[in-house]
Amino acid sequence: MANVLAGLDRQQTGAWHSVSVGVIFGADAVGYCLALATLCFSGALSAGLGLATALLLLASAIATLFMFRFGNFRVAMAIAQDSSISILAPAVILAASSVSGPGEARVATAFAVIGTSAMVSGLAFWVVGRLGLGRLVRMFPYPVLAGFLASSGYLLFFAAMSIITGQSGLAAMAGAATDPLVQLRLFPAVVMAVALMLAIRIWEGPRPVLVIILAAITGYYLVTAILGIDHAKAIELGLLPQVGASADAALGFDMLGLINWVAVAYAAPSIAAVVLMNLIGILLNTSGVELATGEDVDENCELRIAGAANTVIGLFGGLTSYLQSGATILCAKLGVQRAPLILGYCATLLIACFFAPLIVAVVPSFIPAALVMMIGLSMLQDWLLNTRQRLIPIDWLIVASIVLATAILGILPAIAVGLLLALIGFAYASIRLPIIRHTTTATQRRSICDRTAAQNDLLTKEGDRIRILHLQGPLFFGSVEQMISKLRLLTNPTHDLSALILDFSDVHSFDSSACAALEKLSHLMQAQGIVPDVTGVSPRLRAVFARWGLPLAKAGDIGTLHGFRLWPTLEDAIEHCETVLLDKLLPVDDDTDIARLLFDLGHQNSRTADLFSRMKRQALVPGDVLIAAHDQSHDVFFVVSGRLGVHLPTKSGRKMRVRTIGQGAIVGEIAFLTGQPRNADVICEEAAVVLCLSGAAIRDIDTNDRDLAGLLMAIFGRSLALKLAQSNSQLANLRSV
C-alpha cells in the first residue's frame, strides 16, 4: 500500500513531521469544507458561502479539539460530515426559499437549519451515549444502512449537477447540459472528479487530492489568461461564484433576529433524518477506527464527547462534525505524535477561517462541484456497486431499491421502503429456517431407563413407532405452515405411529397461528388414538397455550385422548412412551414372567429356579429409599414392577436424577462386585415390587455352591453389559444432536 507521505517512517515520527502531516490534512479539509458549503449556499444563498465555509472549518476544529482533550483514541481528527449533507442541503434551500424579505434573512434561516441539525444531533449523541445504547444502534440492518449511504451518494452527485447547471430537476438538468456555457463548467468538473477518484484509489491520503486541486486552479487561471477572460467575465460565464458583497458577511447576534423559525420548523422531518444518519455515521466511523487501529474504546464515551462538541457547534450554525475515519486511521499507521498533529491540523483550519471569503472568491466553481461529484460517485461505487459482490442477492436488492426509491420519492420515503423491505426479507428468511431442528425415534434416542435384554431388543426393532420432533426458533404465522406440513407426513397412518413427542426446548416465541396449528395437530392425532406428548415448554409458552385454550393433560395421564400431555423433561416423555409401547407388545405381569426374564439373563441355565427361590419379595411405595448413598450393604435387587430412580448427590446438597430403573432390571450389583459403598440413592418413584437377593445369601452361594455362583456372576455381567451398551447409545445420540 503506497504511503501518502513517502519520506515518513512507519514508527513514531518527529514533532515537525507530525505537524506537517496535520497541515496537509488541514489543507485537504479546506477544499472539502468549501465543497460542502457550496451545496447549501449556491444561487440565491451564495451571499453566505464565505461565512458557511468558515463555520464548517471552525466546526471541524472544535470537534477535533474536544476529541483531543477528552477522547480515548491515540490519534483522532474530526471534520464536518458529508454523510447527511445530501438530506440537509435540500432542506436548507427549501427553508430559505420560503422566507420573504432581504437576502440576509434567507441566509440566517439557512444557518439556523444547519445549526439546529447539529445541535439536535449533538443532543442525540449525548443521550444515546449516556444511556449506554451505543451498541444497540449498531443493530440497524446493514442493507438498509448501505442503501442510505448509496442514496446519499446519489443525492450528492445530483447536487453537484445542480451546482453546475443551476437546475433542480432531472429533466431541466438534461436540457441545460446542451447549453455550451454549462458544458464549459461540466467538462472540467467531470474530468476532475474522475481524476480524484482514480488518485484516491491508487494513492492514500490527501496529497494526491491537493495536487489535483492545485493543478486544476493553476490550469484554470492559465487558460483564462490565454483566452483573455477577466474576473468579471468569469463570473458572468459561471466559472467563478458570484459572491459580491458576501465576502463581508460576518457572524453576529443581529442574525438571530432575521431567522424565520417557522421555516426552520418545517424542516423538522429532514432534520430528524439527518440526526439518524449522523448517529449511524459516527458509530460506523468509531467501529472502523477501532478495528483498523486495534484500539478498544468506549463508544458511549465517544458519543458523549461528540454530543457535547456538536451542541456547541450548533449554537453558531456549524455543520455536524465528528471522527474522520480515513485520516485518523492513516495517521495512526504513520505513527505521528498526537499533540503536534492536532496543532498542525487545527491551526490550518483556523487560519483558513479568516481567509474563507477570499478562498471562495478565487476558487473556480467547478472545483467544489467536482469534489462533491467525486464524493457522491465514490459512495455509489462503495455502497451500491461494490456491495454487489459482498451481499447476498436479496440484501443487495434492498440497497438498490432504496437508491431507486430515493430518486423517485426522496430520502425519507426511501428510509421507510428500506425498513419495510428489510422486515420482509427477515420474515422470508425466517420462514425458510427449519422449524423442526431434527427428528429422532426411540430407536435412536433411548431413555435413561434400565430395561431387560428382551425389552431393549424390542425397542431397537419397534422404536421407530415413537417419533420425537425437536422444534426450534420462533413459531409464527410464516413458519407454522412448514411445521404442520411435516407433521401431517409424520402422522400419516402408514408410519404406524404409537407416540409423538414434541420438544419445545429451543422454541423461544409462539403466536396464535402456531396455537391454531397445534390444535389442528391434536385433532389429527386424536383420529389415530394418540395423545401427543410435549416437553420443554417454558412458563411463558405455557401461558400462551393457556390463553389460547389449548388443552394440556397432566404428566402420566393416559386416559384422555384430547389435547396434549405435558412432561417436565424429554427423558420423562420418552420413558413413558417406551413403557406404553412395551406394555402393549411385551406384557410382563406375574412372577412366572419375571422368572422367565431371569432365565434369559442366565442364558437359560437350569439352576435359575434355585436362584429365584433365594430371593425375597419386597413392596415399595413412592418415596421409599431402596438404597441409600454411602450405605455399606451389598444386597442386589431385581425389579418386578414399578419404577425406581437413581439420584446422585451433588456438592450443593441437591440430588441429580441420572437414571431410571424399570421392570426386569437389576440394581445394586456394582457395589457388590466392587465391594465399595453405594454411590447413589435409589428411590421408588412409582409403586414397585422388587426381589431382593441379600448380600449374605450371595456370600453363602459363593461359599457353598460354585455352580450357582458362576450363574449369578454371568447374570451380573450381562446386566452390566446391557447398561454399558445403553450408555454408549445415549452418548452417541448426544454427539449427534
Side-chain angles (χ1 to χ4, degrees):
M1 184 171 56
N3 190 335
V4 63
L5 300 175
L8 294 179
D9 192 345
R10 290 282 180 179
Q11 304 299 320
Q12 185 76 17
T13 61
W16 286 110
H17 285 167
S18 299
V19 170
S20 66
V21 173
V23 170
I24 292 175
F25 276 105
D28 177 63
V30 173
Y32 177 85
C33 290
L34 171 60
L36 295 186
T38 305
L39 284 177
C40 297
F41 293 88
S42 59
L45 292 176
S46 61
L49 181 57
L51 180 58
T53 304
L55 293 183
L56 264 62
L57 293 170
L58 180 60
S60 301
I62 290 175
T64 300
L65 291 173
F66 263 80
M67 289 191 300
F68 172 73
R69 175 62 182 84
F70 304 107
N72 298 314
F73 283 111
R74 190 186 69 80
V75 175
M77 290 185 294
I79 197 168
Q81 292 296 315
D82 61 357
S83 58
S84 59
I85 194 69
S86 58
I87 306 173
L88 187 60
V92 169
I93 295 172
L94 182 62
S97 64
S98 66
V99 177
S100 59
E104 291 82 357
R106 291 192 291 272
V107 171
T109 301
F111 279 118
V113 173
I114 296 173
T116 300
S117 70
M119 186 177 297
V120 176
S121 295
L123 292 174
F125 294 167
W126 192 89
V127 170
V128 171
R130 183 67 181 83
L131 296 177
L133 300 177
R135 293 192 181 276
L136 182 62
V137 178
R138 294 185 190 182
M139 296 172 64
F140 203 85
Y142 182 84
V144 178
L145 173 60
F148 290 161
L149 294 174
S151 296
S152 297
Y154 163 79
L155 292 176
L156 286 173
F157 178 79
F158 188 87
M161 294 299 296
S162 179
I163 293 173
I164 295 171
T165 62
Q167 304 295 328
S168 58
L170 285 175
M173 288 182 187
T178 60
D179 187 341
L181 290 179
V182 174
Q183 294 174 354
L184 186 64
R185 301 189 296 269
L186 180 61
F187 177 75
V190 172
V191 171
M192 183 177 173
V194 172
L196 287 170
M197 290 183 65
L198 292 175
I200 290 175
R201 291 292 183 269
I202 299 173
W203 300 285
E204 288 190 4
R207 178 172 288 185
V209 175
L210 291 177
V211 170
I212 292 174
I213 291 175
L214 292 175
I217 294 175
T218 303
Y220 162 77
Y221 279 104
L222 284 175
V223 170
T224 53
I226 293 172
L227 297 178
I229 300 176
D230 58 12
H231 189 81
K233 184 65 175 178
I235 294 176
E236 181 182 346
L237 295 174
L239 298 175
L240 289 175
Q242 188 173 4
V243 294
S246 66
D248 298 327
L251 186 67
F253 287 104
D254 56 326
M255 294 186 68
L256 293 175
L258 300 175
I259 298 174
N260 187 324
W261 291 106
V262 175
V264 175
Y266 278 126
S270 296
I271 291 175
V274 167
V275 172
L276 176 62
M277 291 293 292
N278 285 333
L279 194 55
I280 296 170
I282 188 174
L283 288 170
L284 279 179
N285 284 7
T286 302
S287 299
V289 173
E290 274 187 303
L291 182 63
T293 62
E295 298 181 67
D296 184 20
V297 301
D298 182 356
E299 67 273 3
N300 292 308
C301 176
E302 297 299 321
L303 279 170
R304 293 194 296 272
I305 295 169
N310 281 281
T311 302
V312 174
I313 290 169
L315 292 175
F316 57 79
L319 183 64
T320 306
S321 304
Y322 48 80
L323 184 66
Q324 185 181 11
S325 59
T328 298
I329 292 170
L330 184 56
C331 288
K333 291 180 178 179
L334 293 173
V336 297
Q337 296 182 25
R338 187 185 189 199
L341 172 74
I342 301 305
L343 174 63
Y345 182 70
C346 290
T348 304
L349 295 181
L350 293 174
I351 291 172
C353 286
F354 294 99
F355 297 98
L358 177 61
I359 295 172
V360 168
V362 299
V363 173
S365 57
F366 70 83
I367 289 181
L371 285 169
V372 174
M373 185 181 296
M374 179 269 295
I375 296 171
L377 291 175
S378 297
M379 293 179 71
L380 279 171
Q381 182 178 7
D382 291 340
W383 297 102
L384 180 62
L385 300 181
N386 292 348
T387 54
R388 179 66 182 87
Q389 303 299 323
R390 299 198 308 268
L391 300 180
I392 61 176
I394 190 170
D395 284 348
W396 187 82
L397 286 176
I398 293 176
V399 177
S401 298
I402 293 174
V403 176
L404 181 62
T406 301
I408 299 174
L409 304 174
I411 188 65
L412 291 179
I415 293 174
V417 169
L419 290 174
L420 177 61
L421 290 176
L423 290 174
I424 293 174
F426 172 76
Y428 176 72
S430 298
I431 291 172
R432 297 185 64 188
L433 288 175
I435 299 304
I436 302 175
R437 183 160 58 96
H438 63 277
T439 303
T440 55
T441 67
T443 301
Q444 305 160 317
R445 176 68 166 88
R446 294 287 306 281
S447 71
I448 58 174
C449 182
D450 288 338
R451 302 186 186 276
T452 67
Q455 291 171 332
N456 286 327
D457 291 342
L458 186 61
L459 287 175
T460 300
K461 181 180 178 181
E462 301 290 342
D464 287 346
R465 298 172 65 176
I466 301 174
R467 287 296 180 103
I468 308 164
L469 273 59
H470 302 269
L471 308 180
Q472 66 176 359
L475 299 185
F476 64 105
F477 67 93
S479 62
V480 71
E481 264 315 305
Q482 176 195 148
M483 180 188 73
I484 198 65
S485 297
K486 291 187 177 182
L487 290 178
R488 280 198 187 99
L489 293 176
L490 291 173
T491 56
N492 191 292
T494 58
H495 285 87
D496 193 22
L497 275 183
S498 172
L500 177 66
I501 302 174
L502 303 179
D503 181 13
F504 286 84
S505 299
D506 293 324
V507 174
H508 50 76
S509 62
F510 215 85
D511 70 358
S512 56
S513 297
C515 289
L518 281 183
E519 188 172 24
K520 185 186 300 183
L521 173 65
S522 71
H523 297 323
L524 293 174
M525 299 304 297
Q526 185 178 3
Q528 300 186 40
I530 298 174
V531 179
D533 297 280
V534 296
T535 183
V537 181
S538 66
R540 187 168 62 87
L541 291 184
R542 200 175 304 175
V544 174
F545 290 169
R547 185 180 183 88
W548 177 266
L550 202 64
L552 293 175
K554 295 181 180 180
D557 183 0
I558 61 174
T560 180
L561 288 178
H562 179 63
F564 297 86
R565 190 164 41 238
L566 180 64
W567 295 92
T569 67
L570 179 59
E571 289 296 335
D572 292 325
I574 296 175
E575 181 183 329
H576 166 78
C577 294
E578 288 177 346
T579 301
V580 171
L581 180 61
L582 289 172
D583 287 344
K584 179 180 179 181
L585 301 177
L586 187 66
V588 181
D589 297 324
D590 52 31
D591 288 352
T592 302
D593 291 322
I594 295 297
R596 181 177 55 79
L597 293 174
L598 193 61
F599 184 68
D600 291 339
L601 274 177
H603 294 283
Q604 301 182 355
N605 192 298
S606 60
R607 297 292 307 278
T608 305
D610 295 335
L611 187 62
F612 185 71
S613 65
R614 293 173 180 255
M615 296 180 181
K616 295 183 178 179
R617 180 179 292 270
Q618 183 177 345
L620 301 173
V621 297
D624 284 350
V625 178
L626 181 64
I627 296 176
H630 312 299
D631 188 1
Q632 297 290 336
S633 68
H634 294 151
D635 296 346
V636 178
F637 302 91
F638 189 87
V639 182
V640 176
S641 63
R643 185 180 64 186
L644 309 176
V646 180
H647 298 262
L648 191 66
T650 62
K651 293 181 179 180
S652 63
R654 296 183 179 180
K655 295 181 180 180
M656 180 174 61
R657 185 172 179 270
V658 296
R659 206 166 193 83
T660 301
I661 302 172
Q663 186 181 55
I666 298 176
V667 59
E669 75 277 23
I670 295 178
F672 171 77
L673 293 173
T674 62
Q676 299 295 320
R678 311 288 192 177
N679 60 4
D681 295 324
V682 179
I683 302 173
C684 179
E685 296 180 347
E686 182 182 294
V689 175
V690 299
L691 297 177
C692 175
L693 187 62
S694 66
I698 297 174
R699 287 190 294 271
D700 180 67
I701 292 172
D702 187 52
T703 302
N704 301 315
D705 194 338
R706 301 302 297 174
D707 290 341
L708 193 57
L711 172 61
L712 184 59
M713 291 304 106
I715 290 174
F716 287 170
R718 192 171 187 198
S719 173
L720 291 174
L722 289 172
K723 291 177 180 178
L724 178 61
Q726 186 175 358
S727 297
N728 289 339
S729 175
Q730 291 165 354
L731 289 174
N733 176 72
L734 289 175
R735 287 195 296 267
S736 65
V737 172

